[in-house]
Amino acid sequence: MDTSYPRDERPSPKRGPPPAPRDHLLWAIFNTLYMNFCCLGFVALAFAVKARDRKVSGDVEAARHFSSKARCYNALATAGSVVLPLLLGALIVTGVIHLSKLAHESVGFFTYQFSGSDDEDQ
C-alpha cells in the first residue's frame, strides 16, 4: 500500500494537437518599415512569411522553426534600433561634457596674464 502522497483522482485532461506557432508577421512588418537596422527587419519578415506558409500547409515543425528564427531576428532588429541610438546619444552627451570642461580649462591657459615682478628684467 502506497501512502507517500495523496493521489489525484481526477481524470487527466485530453491533450489535443499542440497549438500552431506564432508567425510574428506584424512585428516583422513593423521592423521592416520603421526600424530596419542592418536589414534584420527584412530577414525577419522573410522568416515570418515562411513560418506562415508552413503553418498554412500543415507542417507545424517547420513553422515552429521559422517562427523561432523570425522572433530572433525581430528581437535583434528591435534591440539594435533602440539600443544603438541610445548609446550614440550617450556618447555624444559625454563628449560634449568632456569638450566643455576641456574648453573651460583652456580658457584659463590662454588668458594668463604675465604680470609678475620686474625683478627679472633688472
Side-chain angles (χ1 to χ4, degrees), residues 23-116:
D23 52 16
H24 306 287
L25 188 63
L26 290 176
W27 190 12
I29 290 172
F30 178 77
N31 279 333
T32 301
L33 294 178
Y34 296 111
M35 297 191 292
N36 200 8
F37 174 71
C38 291
C39 295
L40 290 176
F42 182 70
V43 173
L45 181 64
F47 279 113
V49 169
K50 284 183 181 183
R52 179 164 282 197
D53 289 344
R54 296 299 190 269
K55 184 170 67 171
V56 168
S57 69
D59 189 3
V60 177
E61 192 59 36
R64 188 171 286 119
H65 173 72
F66 288 129
S67 172
S68 173
K69 291 243 186 215
R71 184 181 64 233
C72 180
Y73 283 116
N74 277 323
L76 285 173
T78 303
S81 297
V82 170
V83 170
L84 287 180
L86 290 177
L87 182 66
L88 183 64
L91 287 175
I92 289 172
V93 167
T94 56
V96 167
I97 290 171
H98 178 70
L99 286 176
S100 69
K101 285 182 182 179
L102 186 65
H104 183 64
E105 291 171 0
S106 66
V107 166
F109 175 76
F110 289 117
T111 59
Y112 181 72
Q113 298 290 328
F114 288 105
S115 64

